[in-house]
Amino acid sequence: MSTVRRPDHRSEHRAARGGHATGLRHVLTHLITPLLMCVGMGLAYLGAFAHPAPHHLPVAVVGQGRSAQLLAQSINDKAGGDLDVRTVGDRSAAVERLRHQDIFGAYVIPAHGAKGAARTEGTADATVAKGASHGADRAGEAGAASASAGTSGAGGVAGPGKPAPELLVATAASDSSATVVQKVFTPIAAQQGAPLKVTDVAPTAEDDPTGQGIFFLLVAISIGSYASVAVIGGAGAVLPLRLRAALALGTSFVVGLIAMSTSTATDCRDTSGRWCGGWSSAW
């Protein structure tokens, strides 16, 4: 006489719970990578853009003679290391240095204003320091609108037959730096009794008015690379190491190809021929 064994439901439940626990541990293990990516990218970006301030930002006073040197030295002394002010002999040399990112702003003293610059050095000291500090605090909030507004509308007519001081900037090199430079030199021009004329010698590309296209392109490349590594490391854990290395190399090639194709399609270049959104080492 044969006996019929009843199914052990408790064993089946234990096996099912064990399988669920194993799958949950597997998922949680692979979630560590994207969570670490989230923390790392958040700290990197928020830390980089929090309270931006100039640090030895190179600018120039355009002019010859002792008055230009005294004005540059006065601004340097009062900026407290925020600015690195030097003198440039003429406007064309200043434009060339701006386009090569040797400086990020150039204040052109009008021909009749050299003596006025020397007279107003003492009164301009406080406004220079205040302008540099305030400009540093607001630099991260400045966008393309403020730059274009300053370029097109900051310069008024100083009066019939009265040349106005001119500020040369290059927003394609750094919009934040151009904004800070405007905030520093506007009160100096006001002390000379003339509105400041702002000239952008290297504006951003028409399709990239903020000059941040290259930054977001690099962000896209980084995310694609991180995600690819996570997939190869997680889903490809069962594959041999040699095959995983080959997949990593192939994925790197594809990500680079996508980046080149995107750059070519957008053609994100400024008027000086360099890639728009150039990185400023002074920040």
Side-chain angles (χ1 to χ4, degrees):
M1 181 176 182
S2 62
T3 58
V4 178
R5 295 185 179 181
R6 295 182 179 180
D8 191 349
H9 296 289
R10 288 178 296 180
S11 300
E12 293 178 358
H13 288 314
R14 283 196 296 266
R17 284 197 299 267
H20 292 163
T22 302
L24 182 60
R25 283 196 300 269
H26 184 74
V27 173
L28 292 177
T29 301
H30 287 86
L31 279 176
I32 293 176
T33 299
L35 292 178
L36 289 177
M37 289 169 50
C38 180
V39 173
M41 294 179 69
L43 292 177
Y45 295 146
L46 294 178
F49 294 123
H51 304 294
H55 179 66
H56 294 291
L57 182 69
V59 296
V61 174
V62 181
Q64 297 180 352
R66 182 170 176 79
S67 59
Q69 295 177 356
L70 289 177
L71 180 60
Q73 185 61 44
S74 176
I75 299 173
N76 234 350
D77 294 340
K78 297 301 178 180
D82 292 340
L83 303 177
D84 182 10
V85 190
R86 69 284 305 268
T87 58
V88 178
D90 53 60
R91 186 181 186 277
S92 59
V95 171
E96 189 68 18
R97 293 192 180 187
L98 273 168
R99 289 179 174 171
H100 286 83
Q101 300 187 18
D102 295 330
I103 58 176
F104 290 89
Y107 181 74
V108 183
I109 302 176
H112 82 287
K115 294 182 179 179
R119 290 197 305 267
T120 57
E121 286 169 11
T123 55
D125 288 345
T127 55
V128 168
K130 181 178 179 181
S133 175
H134 183 64
D137 292 340
R138 297 297 301 274
E141 302 174 3
S146 63
S148 59
T151 303
S152 60
V157 179
K162 183 179 180 182
E166 182 182 15
L167 179 64
L168 306 177
V169 296
T171 54
S174 174
D175 180 70
S176 298
S177 298
T179 302
V180 170
V181 170
Q182 291 183 44
K183 291 182 180 295
V184 169
F185 285 103
T186 297
I188 297 177
Q191 291 293 336
Q192 297 178 9
L196 184 63
K197 176 184 176 182
V198 181
T199 303
D200 192 350
V201 300
T204 55
E206 182 179 356
D207 295 333
D208 185 28
T210 63
Q212 297 180 359
I214 190 66
F215 167 75
F216 289 109
L217 176 62
L218 292 175
V219 171
I221 296 174
S222 301
I223 294 176
S225 302
Y226 296 154
S228 300
V229 169
V231 170
I232 294 173
V238 296
L239 300 176
L241 181 60
R242 182 178 301 178
L243 185 55
R244 280 185 286 171
L247 285 173
L249 290 175
T251 305
S252 301
F253 176 77
V254 172
V255 170
L257 188 62
I258 293 173
M260 292 178 61
S261 302
T262 306
S263 302
T264 304
T266 57
D267 194 19
C268 184
R269 295 178 183 268
D270 58 37
T271 55
S272 61
R274 294 185 298 270
W275 288 104
C276 60
W279 184 263
S280 170
S281 60
W283 286 87

